[in-house]
Amino acid sequence: MFPLLLAAVYTHQFTRVILLPGFPAVDSFLDFVLPASLVQSVSFGATEAGTELARDIENGFFDRLRASPCMRLPLLLGRLGGAVVVAAVKGVLIIAIFLLFGAEIAGGPAAAVVLVVAAVLLVIAIGGLGQMLAIFTGSQEAVNATFPLVFTSIFMSSAFFPTNLMSGWFREVAEANPVTWIIDPVRRLILEGWSWADVGQALVVPLVISVATVTMAVVALNRKLSSS
Amino acid sequence: MSAVTVDHSTDLRFAGMVASAICGRGMRRIVARPTLIMPVLLMPLIFVVSFTGAFGSLTRVEGYGTDNVFNWMAVYAAMQGAVFAGVGGASTTAEDIENGFFDRLLLTPGSRVPILVGTMAYSALRSTIPTTGVLLVSALGGLRLPGGPLALVTVYVATAGMASAFCLLGLAVVYRFRTMRSMILIQVCGFSLMFLSTGQVPLHFMNGWLHTVARVNPVTNVLRFARQGFLGDLTWSMTWPGLVALGAMVAVAGSLAAHQLRRLAA
């Protein structure tokens, strides 16, 4: 609900802002903020896979799972799978609500699918990070501490304002932020239309990050298993 | 006659002692476990850095009210911090209820009002930490005080008032549901009220339903009161509506909390 509230508020309070020179050509701030709401919505629940794993480690259930004669990798991937399904449903709902309130996706239905897939990949990336932390610390509190990190990453990106209208060190941070690298091509698909280059960037960036974080989680799990 | 007077003054002194002991206990917890205050301090700092960085070019839109984005956003971030501080104060009571300490507190003789006053005072005092943090970071970013030092007084009064109101509202919920998890209700309520106000842009920038909601939102009056010294001189016409809004929020939340506490103690 919070990302939707934020989108509704920003759409009605930034009506004059979209007229600023340098702001992308949009009919309404609603079109501009759609990718931000999508990313925000899926990201807030993305650490759940890590939190659940940490809870299982804390209460000893994970040790019982480890003792069972099964492969270790599905223990991680299974939880990520749950997060992926939730993120995909959230993504479809967010886009449907935005369309209902008048948002337009210039890239068409195919671009909407890219939006959802990019969001799902981002969830895997954040979920993998949460699982790695859960394995290293075994603490729900430590995994929950990633929430401010996710929150800050979104606000210190191009999610709510174009980076060309920012200035100073904040602009440099926003431009170097991987969230910006995901949001900018997704936004172009919404505002400008279909482009294979944008599709590539929108999918490859979160894919690379998710492969990296899930690999790190698997390595952490293997180390934990070999040390115990 | 004299005996009655002595009884009243003794009661008042006792009530004052209980309230200050509760307030002092909360502050000692922060000293003993400084990590408790970190989220309350960090979130408004993240807000002031994010909002001033991302929305800095708002000052280029005609009619924004200031050419320095810190002068607009610092007060808003401080108020967000105050809401967190207030909810955090009520969370301390939730923790006491969950671990049984509150039941022992209710066994003490005398009025229950000092329990409310003490927790509220703790929250108000706690709110000075994020407020100071936000003002210091904003000063580094270029915050100016066209209204002079009185501008700082209005911010501290407003944030202490907001922390008190949200602490009392939080207490009403905690006394009713008796769990820490129930605090999320007040957190969401506070967050939404802040976003549905003139936190980031002036009222005349808004349109549609948001304009209507922000106009009747009491937080808008509190923000106007707290922000005036950062946009120009302080005036009585900007001051009294803010003080009335704060007073009304504290009175309503206080009544709810007192009612729920009476039910809990019965």
PDB file of all heavy atoms in Angstrom, chain B residues 138-153:
ATOM      1  N   SER B 138      21.566  19.416   8.201  1.00  0.00           N
ATOM      2  CA  SER B 138      21.052  20.457   7.293  1.00  0.00           C
ATOM      3  C   SER B 138      21.937  21.697   7.329  1.00  0.00           C
ATOM      4  O   SER B 138      22.118  22.358   6.300  1.00  0.00           O
ATOM      5  CB  SER B 138      19.619  20.835   7.674  1.00  0.00           C
ATOM      6  OG  SER B 138      18.808  19.702   7.623  1.00  0.00           O
ATOM      7  N   ALA B 139      22.469  22.001   8.511  1.00  0.00           N
ATOM      8  CA  ALA B 139      23.372  23.159   8.615  1.00  0.00           C
ATOM      9  C   ALA B 139      24.597  22.929   7.735  1.00  0.00           C
ATOM     10  O   ALA B 139      25.086  23.851   7.069  1.00  0.00           O
ATOM     11  CB  ALA B 139      23.781  23.370  10.069  1.00  0.00           C
ATOM     12  N   LEU B 140      25.082  21.698   7.698  1.00  0.00           N
ATOM     13  CA  LEU B 140      26.222  21.369   6.821  1.00  0.00           C
ATOM     14  C   LEU B 140      25.841  21.558   5.351  1.00  0.00           C
ATOM     15  O   LEU B 140      26.674  21.918   4.517  1.00  0.00           O
ATOM     16  CB  LEU B 140      26.670  19.917   7.046  1.00  0.00           C
ATOM     17  CG  LEU B 140      27.359  19.613   8.377  1.00  0.00           C
ATOM     18  CD1 LEU B 140      27.622  18.122   8.513  1.00  0.00           C
ATOM     19  CD2 LEU B 140      28.672  20.387   8.489  1.00  0.00           C
ATOM     20  N   GLY B 141      24.559  21.292   5.064  1.00  0.00           N
ATOM     21  CA  GLY B 141      24.086  21.420   3.682  1.00  0.00           C
ATOM     22  C   GLY B 141      23.750  22.851   3.290  1.00  0.00           C
ATOM     23  O   GLY B 141      23.482  23.120   2.122  1.00  0.00           O
ATOM     24  N   GLY B 142      23.732  23.768   4.269  1.00  0.00           N
ATOM     25  CA  GLY B 142      23.478  25.173   3.945  1.00  0.00           C
ATOM     26  C   GLY B 142      22.184  25.739   4.501  1.00  0.00           C
ATOM     27  O   GLY B 142      21.694  26.764   4.006  1.00  0.00           O
ATOM     28  N   LEU B 143      21.623  25.094   5.517  1.00  0.00           N
ATOM     29  CA  LEU B 143      20.393  25.603   6.147  1.00  0.00           C
ATOM     30  C   LEU B 143      20.622  27.018   6.683  1.00  0.00           C
ATOM     31  O   LEU B 143      21.650  27.289   7.311  1.00  0.00           O
ATOM     32  CB  LEU B 143      20.005  24.660   7.301  1.00  0.00           C
ATOM     33  CG  LEU B 143      18.746  25.005   8.093  1.00  0.00           C
ATOM     34  CD1 LEU B 143      17.510  24.622   7.320  1.00  0.00           C
ATOM     35  CD2 LEU B 143      18.744  24.249   9.425  1.00  0.00           C
ATOM     36  N   ARG B 144      19.651  27.901   6.431  1.00  0.00           N
ATOM     37  CA  ARG B 144      19.762  29.267   6.938  1.00  0.00           C
ATOM     38  C   ARG B 144      18.617  29.553   7.905  1.00  0.00           C
ATOM     39  O   ARG B 144      17.607  28.839   7.901  1.00  0.00           O
ATOM     40  CB  ARG B 144      19.701  30.269   5.779  1.00  0.00           C
ATOM     41  CG  ARG B 144      20.869  30.166   4.828  1.00  0.00           C
ATOM     42  CD  ARG B 144      20.879  31.360   3.872  1.00  0.00           C
ATOM     43  NE  ARG B 144      19.640  31.459   3.109  1.00  0.00           N
ATOM     44  CZ  ARG B 144      19.484  30.962   1.875  1.00  0.00           C
ATOM     45  NH1 ARG B 144      20.481  30.340   1.289  1.00  0.00           N
ATOM     46  NH2 ARG B 144      18.351  31.104   1.228  1.00  0.00           N
ATOM     47  N   LEU B 145      18.787  30.585   8.728  1.00  0.00           N
ATOM     48  CA  LEU B 145      17.761  30.929   9.717  1.00  0.00           C
ATOM     49  C   LEU B 145      17.298  32.373   9.522  1.00  0.00           C
ATOM     50  O   LEU B 145      17.653  33.252  10.318  1.00  0.00           O
ATOM     51  CB  LEU B 145      18.310  30.768  11.149  1.00  0.00           C
ATOM     52  CG  LEU B 145      18.680  29.376  11.627  1.00  0.00           C
ATOM     53  CD1 LEU B 145      19.289  29.434  13.024  1.00  0.00           C
ATOM     54  CD2 LEU B 145      17.456  28.488  11.646  1.00  0.00           C
ATOM     55  N   PRO B 146      16.501  32.647   8.497  1.00  0.00           N
ATOM     56  CA  PRO B 146      16.052  34.036   8.310  1.00  0.00           C
ATOM     57  C   PRO B 146      15.205  34.540   9.480  1.00  0.00           C
ATOM     58  O   PRO B 146      15.140  35.740   9.728  1.00  0.00           O
ATOM     59  CB  PRO B 146      15.240  33.971   7.014  1.00  0.00           C
ATOM     60  CG  PRO B 146      14.963  32.547   6.770  1.00  0.00           C
ATOM     61  CD  PRO B 146      16.024  31.762   7.454  1.00  0.00           C
ATOM     62  N   GLY B 147      14.585  33.635  10.205  1.00  0.00           N
ATOM     63  CA  GLY B 147      13.761  34.036  11.360  1.00  0.00           C
ATOM     64  C   GLY B 147      14.548  34.138  12.644  1.00  0.00           C
ATOM     65  O   GLY B 147      13.958  34.365  13.709  1.00  0.00           O
ATOM     66  N   GLY B 148      15.856  33.931  12.581  1.00  0.00           N
ATOM     67  CA  GLY B 148      16.691  34.017  13.771  1.00  0.00           C
ATOM     68  C   GLY B 148      16.593  32.768  14.638  1.00  0.00           C
ATOM     69  O   GLY B 148      15.955  31.776  14.255  1.00  0.00           O
ATOM     70  N   PRO B 149      17.200  32.830  15.839  1.00  0.00           N
ATOM     71  CA  PRO B 149      17.240  31.652  16.715  1.00  0.00           C
ATOM     72  C   PRO B 149      15.853  31.147  17.119  1.00  0.00           C
ATOM     73  O   PRO B 149      15.699  29.974  17.458  1.00  0.00           O
ATOM     74  CB  PRO B 149      18.006  32.147  17.951  1.00  0.00           C
ATOM     75  CG  PRO B 149      18.732  33.355  17.505  1.00  0.00           C
ATOM     76  CD  PRO B 149      17.935  33.970  16.408  1.00  0.00           C
ATOM     77  N   LEU B 150      14.855  32.040  17.087  1.00  0.00           N
ATOM     78  CA  LEU B 150      13.497  31.600  17.441  1.00  0.00           C
ATOM     79  C   LEU B 150      12.993  30.496  16.498  1.00  0.00           C
ATOM     80  O   LEU B 150      12.137  29.696  16.869  1.00  0.00           O
ATOM     81  CB  LEU B 150      12.530  32.784  17.382  1.00  0.00           C
ATOM     82  CG  LEU B 150      12.282  33.548  18.697  1.00  0.00           C
ATOM     83  CD1 LEU B 150      11.295  34.667  18.468  1.00  0.00           C
ATOM     84  CD2 LEU B 150      11.770  32.608  19.788  1.00  0.00           C
ATOM     85  N   ALA B 151      13.562  30.463  15.284  1.00  0.00           N
ATOM     86  CA  ALA B 151      13.179  29.414  14.324  1.00  0.00           C
ATOM     87  C   ALA B 151      13.484  28.038  14.907  1.00  0.00           C
ATOM     88  O   ALA B 151      12.722  27.076  14.729  1.00  0.00           O
ATOM     89  CB  ALA B 151      13.940  29.616  13.011  1.00  0.00           C
ATOM     90  N   LEU B 152      14.609  27.955  15.628  1.00  0.00           N
ATOM     91  CA  LEU B 152      14.987  26.681  16.237  1.00  0.00           C
ATOM     92  C   LEU B 152      14.000  26.306  17.350  1.00  0.00           C
ATOM     93  O   LEU B 152      13.641  25.138  17.515  1.00  0.00           O
ATOM     94  CB  LEU B 152      16.408  26.760  16.798  1.00  0.00           C
ATOM     95  CG  LEU B 152      17.518  27.028  15.773  1.00  0.00           C
ATOM     96  CD1 LEU B 152      18.872  27.152  16.466  1.00  0.00           C
ATOM     97  CD2 LEU B 152      17.575  25.897  14.751  1.00  0.00           C
ATOM     98  N   VAL B 153      13.565  27.339  18.086  1.00  0.00           N
ATOM     99  CA  VAL B 153      12.612  27.084  19.188  1.00  0.00           C
ATOM    100  C   VAL B 153      11.324  26.488  18.634  1.00  0.00           C
ATOM    101  O   VAL B 153      10.792  25.503  19.168  1.00  0.00           O
ATOM    102  CB  VAL B 153      12.322  28.391  19.969  1.00  0.00           C
ATOM    103  CG1 VAL B 153      11.268  28.146  21.047  1.00  0.00           C
ATOM    104  CG2 VAL B 153      13.593  28.946  20.588  1.00  0.00           C
TER     105      VAL B 153
END
